Amino acid sequence: MTRLVLLGLLACASIGVAAEIPPQDRRSGFEFMSPQTQAMQSEETSNPGMLWVADGERLWSEPQAPAGKSCASCHAEATKSMGGVAARYPAFDEETKRPIDLMGRINQCRAKRQGAASLTYQSDELLALTAYVANQSHGMPITPPADSRLEPFRENGRAWFERRLGQLQLSCAACHDDRWGARLGGSVIPQGHPTGYPLYRLEWQNMGSLQRRLRGCLVGVRAQPFDFGAPEYVDIELFLMERARGLTMETPAVRP
Amino acid sequence: MKISRPTLDEAINSFTSGASVREGRVKFEISPLVENGNAVPVSVEVESPMTATDHVKRIALFNERNPQADVVVFHLGPRSGRARVSTRIRLAASQTVVALAETSDGAFWSARAKVIVTLAACIEDISQQ
Amino acid sequence: MTRALVNVPKTAKRGEIIEIRAMIQHVMETGYREGPNGVTLPRNIIKRFVCKYGAEEIFSAELFPAIAANPYMAFSTVATESGTLTFEWTDDKGATQSASAEITVT
Protein backbone atom coordinates (compact mmCIF):
# COMPACT_ATOMS: atom_id res chain seq x y z
CA MET A 1 0.00 0.00 0.00
CA THR A 2 1.43 3.36 -1.07
CA ARG A 3 0.77 5.23 2.15
CA LEU A 4 2.82 2.70 4.12
CA VAL A 5 5.73 3.07 1.76
CA LEU A 6 5.52 6.85 2.01
CA LEU A 7 5.46 6.80 5.77
CA GLY A 8 8.45 4.46 5.70
CA LEU A 9 10.40 6.86 3.52
CA LEU A 10 9.55 9.69 5.85
CA ALA A 11 10.71 7.69 8.84
CA CYS A 12 14.08 6.98 7.20
CA ALA A 13 14.56 10.63 6.37
CA SER A 14 13.68 11.99 9.79
CA ILE A 15 16.96 11.82 11.64
CA GLY A 16 17.59 15.55 12.01
CA VAL A 17 16.41 17.64 14.96
CA ALA A 18 13.14 19.51 14.46
CA ALA A 19 13.28 23.29 14.17
CA GLU A 20 10.36 25.33 15.48
CA ILE A 21 8.33 27.37 13.00
CA PRO A 22 9.09 31.10 13.39
CA PRO A 23 5.95 33.14 14.25
CA GLN A 24 5.85 34.94 10.89
CA ASP A 25 5.68 31.58 9.06
CA ARG A 26 2.82 30.11 11.13
CA ARG A 27 -0.11 29.18 8.95
CA SER A 28 -3.46 27.61 9.71
CA GLY A 29 -4.41 24.31 8.07
CA PHE A 30 -6.93 26.40 6.13
CA GLU A 31 -4.11 27.74 3.95
CA PHE A 32 -3.17 24.25 2.79
CA MET A 33 -6.65 23.33 1.55
CA SER A 34 -8.08 23.52 -1.96
CA PRO A 35 -10.13 26.65 -2.82
CA GLN A 36 -13.26 24.42 -2.87
CA THR A 37 -12.75 23.19 0.69
CA GLN A 38 -11.85 26.73 1.81
CA ALA A 39 -15.12 28.01 0.35
CA MET A 40 -17.06 25.26 2.16
CA GLN A 41 -15.64 26.57 5.46
CA SER A 42 -15.84 30.29 4.74
CA GLU A 43 -19.46 30.45 3.66
CA GLU A 44 -21.54 29.98 6.78
CA THR A 45 -24.51 28.77 4.76
CA SER A 46 -22.50 25.92 3.26
CA ASN A 47 -20.29 24.99 6.25
CA PRO A 48 -21.64 21.69 7.66
CA GLY A 49 -20.12 22.55 11.05
CA MET A 50 -22.78 25.25 11.39
CA LEU A 51 -25.35 22.47 11.86
CA TRP A 52 -23.62 21.61 15.16
CA VAL A 53 -23.22 25.26 16.10
CA ALA A 54 -26.96 25.74 15.59
CA ASP A 55 -27.66 22.68 17.69
CA GLY A 56 -25.36 23.99 20.41
CA GLU A 57 -27.29 27.25 20.44
CA ARG A 58 -30.48 25.31 21.10
CA LEU A 59 -28.86 23.19 23.84
CA TRP A 60 -27.43 26.33 25.49
CA SER A 61 -30.87 27.35 26.70
CA GLU A 62 -32.36 23.89 27.24
CA PRO A 63 -32.96 23.21 30.96
CA GLN A 64 -31.57 19.93 32.29
CA ALA A 65 -33.15 17.77 34.95
CA PRO A 66 -32.81 17.55 37.93
CA ALA A 67 -31.67 21.13 38.66
CA GLY A 68 -33.83 22.55 35.85
CA LYS A 69 -30.98 24.89 34.89
CA SER A 70 -29.70 25.62 31.40
CA CYS A 71 -26.29 27.01 30.49
CA ALA A 72 -28.10 30.29 29.87
CA SER A 73 -29.47 30.35 33.46
CA CYS A 74 -25.95 31.07 34.71
CA HIS A 75 -24.07 32.40 31.67
CA ALA A 76 -26.90 34.43 30.05
CA GLU A 77 -26.11 35.15 26.40
CA ALA A 78 -23.19 33.15 25.06
CA THR A 79 -22.50 35.87 22.49
CA LYS A 80 -21.48 38.06 25.44
CA SER A 81 -20.25 35.64 28.12
CA MET A 82 -18.30 33.20 25.92
CA GLY A 83 -16.44 35.57 23.57
CA GLY A 84 -12.71 34.79 23.63
CA VAL A 85 -13.02 31.86 26.05
CA ALA A 86 -12.01 29.14 23.54
CA ALA A 87 -9.02 31.24 22.43
CA ARG A 88 -7.44 30.93 25.89
CA TYR A 89 -8.16 27.29 26.70
CA PRO A 90 -6.96 24.86 28.09
CA ALA A 91 -7.05 26.62 31.49
CA PHE A 92 -5.96 25.64 34.98
CA ASP A 93 -8.64 23.81 36.93
CA GLU A 94 -8.59 24.51 40.66
CA GLU A 95 -10.42 21.33 41.46
CA THR A 96 -8.10 18.82 39.81
CA LYS A 97 -5.00 21.05 40.02
CA ARG A 98 -4.26 20.46 36.37
CA PRO A 99 -5.25 21.89 32.98
CA ILE A 100 -8.71 21.24 31.58
CA ASP A 101 -9.77 21.64 27.95
CA LEU A 102 -12.94 23.38 26.81
CA MET A 103 -14.86 20.13 26.37
CA GLY A 104 -13.82 19.04 29.84
CA ARG A 105 -14.93 22.39 31.30
CA ILE A 106 -18.33 22.22 29.63
CA ASN A 107 -18.78 18.67 30.84
CA GLN A 108 -17.80 19.78 34.34
CA CYS A 109 -20.50 22.48 34.29
CA ARG A 110 -23.01 19.92 33.12
CA ALA A 111 -22.19 17.38 35.80
CA LYS A 112 -21.53 19.71 38.73
CA ARG A 113 -23.79 22.69 38.07
CA GLN A 114 -26.62 21.18 36.04
CA GLY A 115 -26.58 17.84 37.80
CA ALA A 116 -26.88 16.15 34.41
CA ALA A 117 -25.03 13.08 33.11
CA SER A 118 -21.66 13.94 31.57
CA LEU A 119 -21.29 13.59 27.83
CA THR A 120 -18.68 11.65 25.84
CA TYR A 121 -16.13 13.42 23.64
CA GLN A 122 -17.75 11.98 20.53
CA SER A 123 -21.34 12.77 21.43
CA ASP A 124 -23.21 15.16 19.15
CA GLU A 125 -24.34 17.14 22.22
CA LEU A 126 -20.86 17.86 23.57
CA LEU A 127 -19.53 18.58 20.07
CA ALA A 128 -22.47 20.92 19.49
CA LEU A 129 -22.12 22.79 22.81
CA THR A 130 -18.35 23.12 22.37
CA ALA A 131 -18.69 24.25 18.76
CA TYR A 132 -21.23 26.87 19.84
CA VAL A 133 -19.04 28.14 22.68
CA ALA A 134 -15.86 28.12 20.51
CA ASN A 135 -17.71 29.83 17.64
CA GLN A 136 -18.07 32.86 19.95
CA SER A 137 -14.27 33.26 19.57
CA HIS A 138 -14.38 33.02 15.76
CA GLY A 139 -11.92 35.49 14.27
CA MET A 140 -10.13 36.15 17.58
CA PRO A 141 -6.40 35.50 18.02
CA ILE A 142 -5.25 32.54 20.08
CA THR A 143 -3.98 33.96 23.39
CA PRO A 144 -2.85 31.35 25.94
CA PRO A 145 -2.96 32.86 29.44
CA ALA A 146 0.18 33.71 31.39
CA ASP A 147 -0.44 31.21 34.17
CA SER A 148 2.74 29.66 35.55
CA ARG A 149 0.79 26.72 36.97
CA LEU A 150 0.24 25.56 33.37
CA GLU A 151 3.97 25.53 32.51
CA PRO A 152 4.93 22.00 33.63
CA PHE A 153 1.98 20.56 31.73
CA ARG A 154 2.79 22.55 28.58
CA GLU A 155 6.38 21.30 28.80
CA ASN A 156 5.06 17.77 29.03
CA GLY A 157 3.00 18.47 25.90
CA ARG A 158 6.09 19.75 24.13
CA ALA A 159 7.97 16.61 25.13
CA TRP A 160 5.24 14.45 23.60
CA PHE A 161 5.35 16.60 20.44
CA GLU A 162 9.09 16.06 20.04
CA ARG A 163 9.26 12.42 21.09
CA ARG A 164 9.53 9.69 18.46
CA LEU A 165 6.35 7.65 18.57
CA GLY A 166 4.94 4.36 17.40
CA GLN A 167 6.31 1.70 15.12
CA LEU A 168 7.28 4.36 12.59
CA GLN A 169 9.35 6.20 15.21
CA LEU A 170 8.18 9.59 13.95
CA SER A 171 7.63 12.59 16.16
CA CYS A 172 4.81 15.08 15.62
CA ALA A 173 7.56 17.64 15.00
CA ALA A 174 9.13 15.53 12.23
CA CYS A 175 5.98 16.12 10.18
CA HIS A 176 4.53 19.39 11.47
CA ASP A 177 7.74 21.41 12.11
CA ASP A 178 10.09 19.90 9.54
CA ARG A 179 7.93 18.82 6.64
CA TRP A 180 4.88 21.05 6.54
CA GLY A 181 3.87 21.88 3.00
CA ALA A 182 5.23 18.55 1.69
CA ARG A 183 2.85 15.96 0.29
CA LEU A 184 2.14 12.74 2.11
CA GLY A 185 0.15 10.42 -0.10
CA GLY A 186 -2.81 12.45 -1.24
CA SER A 187 -2.64 15.18 1.40
CA VAL A 188 -0.43 18.12 2.20
CA ILE A 189 1.14 18.02 5.67
CA PRO A 190 -0.18 21.09 7.52
CA GLN A 191 1.60 22.72 10.46
CA GLY A 192 -0.83 21.00 12.84
CA HIS A 193 -2.48 24.00 14.49
CA PRO A 194 -5.61 23.53 16.66
CA THR A 195 -7.35 26.65 15.32
CA GLY A 196 -10.68 25.22 14.22
CA TYR A 197 -11.92 22.61 16.72
CA PRO A 198 -14.38 21.07 17.00
CA LEU A 199 -14.36 20.88 13.21
CA TYR A 200 -16.04 19.12 10.31
CA ARG A 201 -13.71 16.69 8.60
CA LEU A 202 -14.67 15.36 5.17
CA GLU A 203 -12.80 12.15 5.95
CA TRP A 204 -15.00 11.60 9.02
CA GLN A 205 -18.14 12.88 7.26
CA ASN A 206 -18.81 14.29 10.67
CA MET A 207 -17.88 16.78 13.34
CA GLY A 208 -14.99 15.79 15.60
CA SER A 209 -12.86 16.96 18.51
CA LEU A 210 -9.15 17.81 18.57
CA GLN A 211 -8.66 14.60 20.54
CA ARG A 212 -10.13 12.61 17.67
CA ARG A 213 -7.76 14.39 15.27
CA LEU A 214 -4.76 13.62 17.53
CA ARG A 215 -5.83 10.00 17.78
CA GLY A 216 -5.75 9.86 13.99
CA CYS A 217 -2.16 11.16 13.90
CA LEU A 218 -1.10 8.70 16.62
CA VAL A 219 -2.65 5.79 14.74
CA GLY A 220 -0.93 7.15 11.61
CA VAL A 221 2.50 6.54 13.14
CA ARG A 222 1.32 3.17 14.49
CA ALA A 223 1.29 4.28 18.11
CA GLN A 224 -1.31 3.18 20.63
CA PRO A 225 -3.57 6.25 21.00
CA PHE A 226 -4.49 7.51 24.48
CA ASP A 227 -8.11 7.07 25.52
CA PHE A 228 -10.50 9.98 24.98
CA GLY A 229 -10.22 12.37 27.89
CA ALA A 230 -6.63 11.32 28.73
CA PRO A 231 -4.56 14.08 30.38
CA GLU A 232 -1.82 13.68 27.72
CA TYR A 233 -4.16 15.14 25.09
CA VAL A 234 -4.79 18.23 27.22
CA ASP A 235 -1.03 18.70 27.74
CA ILE A 236 -0.41 18.36 24.00
CA GLU A 237 -3.23 20.84 23.31
CA LEU A 238 -1.66 23.32 25.76
CA PHE A 239 1.57 23.15 23.81
CA LEU A 240 -0.21 23.31 20.43
CA MET A 241 -2.13 26.44 21.50
CA GLU A 242 1.11 28.15 22.60
CA ARG A 243 2.67 27.11 19.29
CA ALA A 244 -0.33 28.63 17.47
CA ARG A 245 -0.31 31.87 19.50
CA GLY A 246 -1.64 34.74 17.39
CA LEU A 247 -3.35 32.55 14.79
CA THR A 248 -7.07 33.14 14.36
CA MET A 249 -9.80 30.92 15.80
CA GLU A 250 -11.86 29.32 13.03
CA THR A 251 -14.41 27.08 14.77
CA PRO A 252 -16.16 25.40 13.06
CA ALA A 253 -13.39 24.78 10.53
CA VAL A 254 -13.63 22.30 7.66
CA ARG A 255 -10.71 20.00 6.86
CA PRO A 256 -10.24 17.28 4.23
CA MET B 1 -18.81 -7.03 -1.60
CA LYS B 2 -19.35 -7.34 -5.35
CA ILE B 3 -21.99 -5.02 -6.71
CA SER B 4 -23.47 -5.12 -10.18
CA ARG B 5 -24.51 -1.78 -11.57
CA PRO B 6 -25.45 -0.39 -14.96
CA THR B 7 -22.68 1.28 -16.94
CA LEU B 8 -22.66 5.06 -17.14
CA ASP B 9 -24.19 4.97 -20.62
CA GLU B 10 -26.88 2.48 -19.58
CA ALA B 11 -27.84 4.72 -16.66
CA ILE B 12 -28.07 7.75 -18.94
CA ASN B 13 -30.10 5.77 -21.46
CA SER B 14 -32.65 4.71 -18.92
CA PHE B 15 -33.01 8.33 -17.75
CA THR B 16 -33.58 9.60 -21.31
CA SER B 17 -35.64 6.53 -22.31
CA GLY B 18 -33.22 6.10 -25.16
CA ALA B 19 -33.53 9.63 -26.57
CA SER B 20 -30.34 11.05 -27.98
CA VAL B 21 -28.22 13.36 -25.85
CA ARG B 22 -26.40 16.40 -27.20
CA GLU B 23 -23.24 17.92 -25.77
CA GLY B 24 -23.61 21.57 -24.90
CA ARG B 25 -25.74 24.13 -23.06
CA VAL B 26 -24.66 22.56 -19.75
CA LYS B 27 -21.91 24.14 -17.67
CA PHE B 28 -20.62 21.60 -15.16
CA GLU B 29 -18.39 22.95 -12.37
CA ILE B 30 -16.43 20.28 -10.52
CA SER B 31 -12.77 20.32 -9.54
CA PRO B 32 -10.62 18.00 -11.71
CA LEU B 33 -8.61 17.07 -8.60
CA VAL B 34 -10.36 16.60 -5.25
CA GLU B 35 -8.83 16.21 -1.78
CA ASN B 36 -11.48 13.90 -0.48
CA GLY B 37 -14.14 11.97 -2.34
CA ASN B 38 -16.57 12.12 0.59
CA ALA B 39 -17.89 15.60 -0.23
CA VAL B 40 -17.12 16.98 -3.68
CA PRO B 41 -18.75 20.35 -4.41
CA VAL B 42 -20.54 20.48 -7.79
CA SER B 43 -22.59 23.10 -9.61
CA VAL B 44 -24.56 22.72 -12.83
CA GLU B 45 -25.85 25.63 -14.86
CA VAL B 46 -27.92 25.22 -18.02
CA GLU B 47 -28.40 27.87 -20.67
CA SER B 48 -32.16 28.46 -20.77
CA PRO B 49 -34.57 31.43 -20.70
CA MET B 50 -36.60 29.55 -18.03
CA THR B 51 -39.97 30.74 -19.39
CA ALA B 52 -43.27 28.84 -19.27
CA THR B 53 -42.68 27.55 -22.80
CA ASP B 54 -38.92 27.06 -22.75
CA HIS B 55 -37.28 25.84 -19.55
CA VAL B 56 -35.23 23.12 -17.94
CA LYS B 57 -37.36 20.42 -16.30
CA ARG B 58 -34.72 18.15 -14.80
CA ILE B 59 -31.02 18.17 -14.07
CA ALA B 60 -29.43 14.85 -13.15
CA LEU B 61 -25.97 13.62 -12.22
CA PHE B 62 -24.54 10.18 -12.98
CA ASN B 63 -21.21 8.58 -12.11
CA GLU B 64 -19.07 5.92 -13.72
CA ARG B 65 -17.56 3.98 -10.81
CA ASN B 66 -19.56 4.30 -7.57
CA PRO B 67 -21.56 1.22 -6.47
CA GLN B 68 -24.66 2.93 -7.93
CA ALA B 69 -24.77 5.09 -11.08
CA ASP B 70 -27.42 7.60 -9.92
CA VAL B 71 -26.37 10.59 -7.86
CA VAL B 72 -29.30 13.01 -7.80
CA VAL B 73 -32.21 14.28 -9.92
CA PHE B 74 -33.34 17.90 -9.50
CA HIS B 75 -36.77 19.08 -10.68
CA LEU B 76 -36.97 22.69 -11.82
CA GLY B 77 -39.48 24.87 -13.64
CA PRO B 78 -40.19 28.38 -14.91
CA ARG B 79 -40.41 29.61 -11.31
CA SER B 80 -36.73 28.71 -10.82
CA GLY B 81 -35.77 31.81 -12.78
CA ARG B 82 -32.37 30.37 -13.48
CA ALA B 83 -31.33 26.78 -14.18
CA ARG B 84 -28.53 26.54 -11.67
CA VAL B 85 -28.10 23.98 -8.86
CA SER B 86 -25.29 23.08 -6.45
CA THR B 87 -24.72 20.15 -4.11
CA ARG B 88 -21.95 17.93 -2.73
CA ILE B 89 -21.42 14.40 -3.98
CA ARG B 90 -19.47 11.27 -3.09
CA LEU B 91 -16.92 9.81 -5.46
CA ALA B 92 -15.60 6.39 -4.47
CA ALA B 93 -12.71 6.58 -6.96
CA SER B 94 -11.26 8.67 -9.78
CA GLN B 95 -13.87 8.59 -12.54
CA THR B 96 -16.10 10.36 -15.06
CA VAL B 97 -19.19 12.23 -13.86
CA VAL B 98 -21.98 13.35 -16.18
CA ALA B 99 -24.44 16.23 -15.78
CA LEU B 100 -27.59 15.87 -17.85
CA ALA B 101 -30.40 18.37 -18.46
CA GLU B 102 -33.87 17.75 -19.87
CA THR B 103 -35.56 20.79 -21.42
CA SER B 104 -39.29 21.40 -21.82
CA ASP B 105 -39.13 20.51 -25.54
CA GLY B 106 -38.03 16.99 -24.56
CA ALA B 107 -34.38 17.42 -25.58
CA PHE B 108 -31.42 16.22 -23.48
CA TRP B 109 -28.16 18.12 -23.09
CA SER B 110 -25.05 17.05 -21.22
CA ALA B 111 -21.53 17.78 -20.04
CA ARG B 112 -18.99 15.36 -18.62
CA ALA B 113 -16.02 15.77 -16.32
CA LYS B 114 -13.11 13.56 -15.33
CA VAL B 115 -12.24 13.77 -11.65
CA ILE B 116 -9.13 12.51 -9.87
CA VAL B 117 -9.71 11.68 -6.20
CA THR B 118 -6.64 11.70 -3.95
CA LEU B 119 -6.51 9.74 -0.69
CA ALA B 120 -6.29 11.00 2.84
CA ALA B 121 -2.93 10.21 4.41
CA CYS B 122 -3.59 9.53 8.08
CA ILE B 123 -5.30 6.28 8.90
CA GLU B 124 -8.33 6.73 11.08
CA ASP B 125 -9.30 4.05 13.57
CA ILE B 126 -13.02 3.61 13.16
CA SER B 127 -13.28 1.35 16.22
CA GLN B 128 -13.55 4.45 18.42
CA GLN B 129 -16.40 6.20 16.64
CA MET C 1 -34.36 15.69 16.25
CA THR C 2 -31.76 16.56 13.67
CA ARG C 3 -30.80 20.03 12.68
CA ALA C 4 -31.61 21.73 9.38
CA LEU C 5 -30.40 25.13 8.21
CA VAL C 6 -31.99 27.07 5.39
CA ASN C 7 -30.89 30.35 3.91
CA VAL C 8 -33.34 32.61 2.10
CA PRO C 9 -32.89 36.37 1.64
CA LYS C 10 -35.15 38.22 4.11
CA THR C 11 -36.21 40.73 1.47
CA ALA C 12 -36.25 40.81 -2.32
CA LYS C 13 -37.68 42.86 -5.17
CA ARG C 14 -40.59 41.39 -7.10
CA GLY C 15 -39.24 39.43 -10.08
CA GLU C 16 -35.74 39.16 -8.63
CA ILE C 17 -34.03 35.75 -8.85
CA ILE C 18 -32.92 34.70 -5.36
CA GLU C 19 -30.58 31.92 -4.29
CA ILE C 20 -31.75 29.44 -1.66
CA ARG C 21 -29.50 27.12 0.33
CA ALA C 22 -30.58 24.18 2.46
CA MET C 23 -28.54 21.81 4.60
CA ILE C 24 -29.58 19.02 6.98
CA GLN C 25 -27.74 16.85 9.49
CA HIS C 26 -27.89 13.26 8.20
CA VAL C 27 -25.37 10.38 7.89
CA MET C 28 -26.54 9.38 4.39
CA GLU C 29 -25.45 5.80 5.13
CA THR C 30 -24.95 4.29 1.68
CA GLY C 31 -25.74 0.66 2.41
CA TYR C 32 -22.39 -0.27 0.84
CA ARG C 33 -20.14 0.32 3.87
CA GLU C 34 -18.99 -2.19 6.42
CA GLY C 35 -19.08 -1.38 10.12
CA PRO C 36 -16.19 -2.18 12.51
CA ASN C 37 -17.56 -5.72 13.01
CA GLY C 38 -17.52 -6.50 9.29
CA VAL C 39 -21.30 -6.36 8.93
CA THR C 40 -22.71 -4.09 6.19
CA LEU C 41 -24.36 -1.02 7.67
CA PRO C 42 -27.99 -0.81 6.52
CA ARG C 43 -28.83 1.93 4.05
CA ASN C 44 -30.27 5.04 5.65
CA ILE C 45 -30.51 8.09 3.42
CA ILE C 46 -32.66 11.13 2.74
CA LYS C 47 -34.29 10.27 -0.55
CA ARG C 48 -36.49 13.23 -1.27
CA PHE C 49 -36.33 16.98 -0.77
CA VAL C 50 -39.09 19.46 -1.61
CA CYS C 51 -39.25 23.24 -1.42
CA LYS C 52 -42.57 25.06 -1.56
CA TYR C 53 -43.15 28.79 -1.98
CA GLY C 54 -46.53 29.41 -0.38
CA ALA C 55 -48.57 26.40 -1.50
CA GLU C 56 -46.72 25.75 -4.73
CA GLU C 57 -43.83 23.32 -5.17
CA ILE C 58 -40.97 25.22 -6.81
CA PHE C 59 -38.12 22.74 -6.50
CA SER C 60 -37.56 19.11 -5.57
CA ALA C 61 -34.84 16.50 -5.67
CA GLU C 62 -34.44 12.74 -5.55
CA LEU C 63 -31.29 11.83 -3.66
CA PHE C 64 -29.20 8.67 -3.94
CA PRO C 65 -26.39 7.33 -1.69
CA ALA C 66 -23.84 9.32 -3.73
CA ILE C 67 -25.02 12.55 -2.11
CA ALA C 68 -22.56 13.54 0.63
CA ALA C 69 -23.40 13.22 4.34
CA ASN C 70 -25.28 16.23 5.73
CA PRO C 71 -26.84 16.99 2.32
CA TYR C 72 -26.41 20.48 0.98
CA MET C 73 -28.38 21.95 -1.91
CA ALA C 74 -28.47 25.36 -3.50
CA PHE C 75 -31.02 26.44 -6.13
CA SER C 76 -32.93 29.52 -7.13
CA THR C 77 -36.43 30.92 -7.49
CA VAL C 78 -38.15 34.09 -8.64
CA ALA C 79 -39.37 36.28 -5.75
CA THR C 80 -43.09 36.60 -6.52
CA GLU C 81 -44.80 37.60 -3.28
CA SER C 82 -44.22 37.95 0.45
CA GLY C 83 -44.77 34.67 2.23
CA THR C 84 -43.28 31.47 3.59
CA LEU C 85 -40.92 29.02 1.96
CA THR C 86 -41.14 25.53 3.42
CA PHE C 87 -38.57 22.79 3.12
CA GLU C 88 -39.14 19.10 3.67
CA TRP C 89 -36.72 16.19 3.72
CA THR C 90 -37.95 12.57 3.68
CA ASP C 91 -35.79 9.59 4.61
CA ASP C 92 -35.87 5.90 3.64
CA LYS C 93 -38.32 5.09 6.42
CA GLY C 94 -40.69 7.85 5.36
CA ALA C 95 -39.88 10.09 8.33
CA THR C 96 -39.86 13.78 7.49
CA GLN C 97 -38.13 16.84 8.84
CA SER C 98 -39.09 20.35 7.88
CA ALA C 99 -37.93 23.92 8.10
CA SER C 100 -39.29 27.25 6.91
CA ALA C 101 -38.24 30.81 6.16
CA GLU C 102 -40.12 34.07 5.59
CA ILE C 103 -39.50 36.44 2.73
CA THR C 104 -40.75 39.99 2.22
CA VAL C 105 -41.15 40.96 -1.43
CA THR C 106 -41.48 44.64 -2.34
Side-chain angles (χ1 to χ4, degrees):
Chain A
M1 198 159 162
T2 37
R3 57 173 76 159
L4 265 181
V5 175
L6 275 159
L7 287 169
L9 281 174
L10 252 173
C12 298
S14 66
I15 296 157
V17 179
E20 276 182 37
I21 303 167
Q24 70 274 16
D25 290 342
R26 286 180 197 164
R27 284 155 66 192
S28 154
F30 181 88
E31 313 271 335
F32 299 89
M33 310 196 299
S34 71
Q36 289 80 14
T37 315
Q38 288 183 344
M40 207 186 291
Q41 170 175 327
S42 302
E43 290 172 39
E44 273 197 9
T45 50
S46 78
N47 182 335
M50 291 309 291
L51 290 163
W52 278 261
V53 172
D55 220 25
E57 184 176 5
R58 176 181 64 83
L59 290 167
W60 180 261
S61 40
E62 188 181 272
Q64 294 291 324
K69 285 207 162 76
S70 71
C71 314
S73 316
C74 296
H75 295 291
E77 280 173 54
T79 46
K80 297 206 179 79
S81 61
M82 292 291 142
V85 171
R88 56 176 168 74
Y89 261 68
F92 193 79
D93 178 34
E94 298 289 353
E95 205 176 288
T96 54
K97 301 283 176 231
R98 49 162 297 116
I100 189 167
D101 62 3
L102 189 59
M103 287 191 132
R105 177 69 89 205
I106 291 172
N107 236 346
Q108 199 179 50
C109 265
R110 248 186 85 89
K112 240 175 55 184
R113 304 204 168 88
Q114 288 184 302
S118 47
L119 301 162
T120 67
Y121 270 69
Q122 288 299 103
S123 65
D124 272 333
E125 290 97 327
L126 190 54
L127 287 168
L129 277 167
T130 312
Y132 179 58
V133 169
N135 185 240
Q136 308 308 323
S137 300
H138 189 275
M140 296 182 184
I142 291 179
T143 44
D147 182 340
S148 58
R149 295 170 301 176
L150 293 171
E151 263 331 299
F153 301 96
R154 185 176 291 131
E155 281 313 307
N156 188 41
R158 176 196 294 278
W160 275 111
F161 194 82
E162 291 171 353
R163 188 173 302 162
R164 285 156 171 267
L165 299 165
Q167 285 172 33
L168 298 183
Q169 284 295 293
L170 274 173
S171 67
C172 316
C175 282
H176 294 301
D177 278 347
D178 290 355
R179 285 186 186 74
W180 59 268
R183 290 200 84 84
L184 178 60
S187 32
V188 180
I189 302 177
Q191 294 181 352
H193 294 303
T195 46
Y197 291 83
L199 58 69
Y200 189 87
R201 199 166 168 223
L202 306 186
E203 181 65 20
W204 298 332
Q205 309 191 59
N206 208 340
M207 200 77 169
S209 61
L210 177 63
Q211 297 202 1
R212 182 170 182 192
R213 172 65 270 190
L214 298 182
R215 289 179 68 89
C217 276
L218 286 166
V219 171
V221 295
R222 310 270 127 95
Q224 176 65 38
F226 313 110
D227 290 337
F228 278 109
E232 285 86 354
Y233 287 127
V234 183
D235 294 358
I236 293 173
E237 182 178 353
L238 258 182
F239 171 68
L240 291 178
M241 288 295 270
E242 181 57 50
R243 190 172 164 269
R245 179 185 284 278
L247 289 180
T248 308
M249 288 292 295
E250 303 169 56
T251 311
V254 175
R255 293 288 181 269
Chain B
M1 183 168 39
K2 189 92 190 120
I3 298 147
S4 70
R5 50 152 281 174
T7 65
L8 183 54
D9 287 339
E10 284 165 357
I12 292 170
N13 255 319
S14 82
F15 183 78
T16 62
S17 309
S20 67
V21 177
R22 277 174 280 182
E23 295 270 318
R25 283 231 209 164
V26 178
K27 194 168 132 213
F28 189 12
E29 294 165 34
I30 181 168
S31 172
L33 183 75
V34 305
E35 289 172 321
N36 193 298
N38 283 340
V40 182
V42 297
S43 291
V44 182
E45 186 157 0
V46 188
E47 238 174 78
S48 165
M50 295 305 273
T51 59
T53 51
D54 183 1
H55 57 263
V56 174
K57 284 164 63 182
R58 294 191 292 171
I59 295 175
L61 294 174
F62 297 96
N63 69 72
E64 182 194 6
R65 290 180 58 196
N66 280 11
Q68 197 176 341
D70 312 79
V71 177
V72 66
V73 182
F74 299 108
H75 298 260
L76 297 78
R79 288 197 61 175
S80 298
R82 176 169 57 212
R84 181 181 168 86
V85 289
S86 304
T87 187
R88 296 197 277 252
I89 70 171
R90 286 177 169 139
L91 294 177
S94 298
Q95 56 182 300
T96 298
V97 186
V98 171
L100 204 67
E102 180 187 11
T103 46
S104 50
D105 59 359
F108 290 93
W109 300 87
S110 83
R112 40 183 74 208
K114 275 207 159 70
V115 182
I116 294 169
V117 180
T118 60
L119 289 171
C122 275
I123 302 120
E124 175 75 12
D125 67 327
I126 58 165
S127 60
Q128 289 298 324
Q129 287 183 36
Chain C
M1 195 192 85
T2 61
R3 183 52 56 171
L5 286 175
V6 294
N7 191 262
V8 177
K10 287 198 168 56
T11 60
K13 292 217 164 59
R14 195 176 308 277
E16 189 186 335
I17 299 171
I18 55 171
E19 196 196 38
I20 297 169
R21 293 176 172 196
M23 193 160 57
I24 186 167
Q25 217 170 32
H26 198 283
V27 289
M28 293 295 282
E29 192 56 63
T30 59
Y32 302 112
R33 283 205 316 169
E34 276 181 14
N37 55 3
V39 177
T40 305
L41 300 165
R43 183 181 127 148
N44 171 23
I45 69 164
I46 300 234
K47 57 179 189 185
R48 192 167 153 72
F49 168 74
V50 177
C51 175
K52 285 184 183 161
Y53 192 153
E56 199 183 330
E57 188 172 308
I58 52 154
F59 180 83
S60 71
E62 291 142 48
L63 284 59
F64 294 87
I67 288 293
N70 305 301
Y72 164 82
M73 277 174 277
F75 51 96
S76 55
T77 192
V78 180
T80 50
E81 59 190 350
S82 297
T84 308
L85 282 99
T86 52
F87 303 81
E88 193 172 87
W89 292 261
T90 308
D91 72 10
D92 275 332
K93 296 187 193 87
T96 62
Q97 166 100 17
S98 50
S100 65
E102 304 295 322
I103 184 167
T104 306
V105 176
T106 54

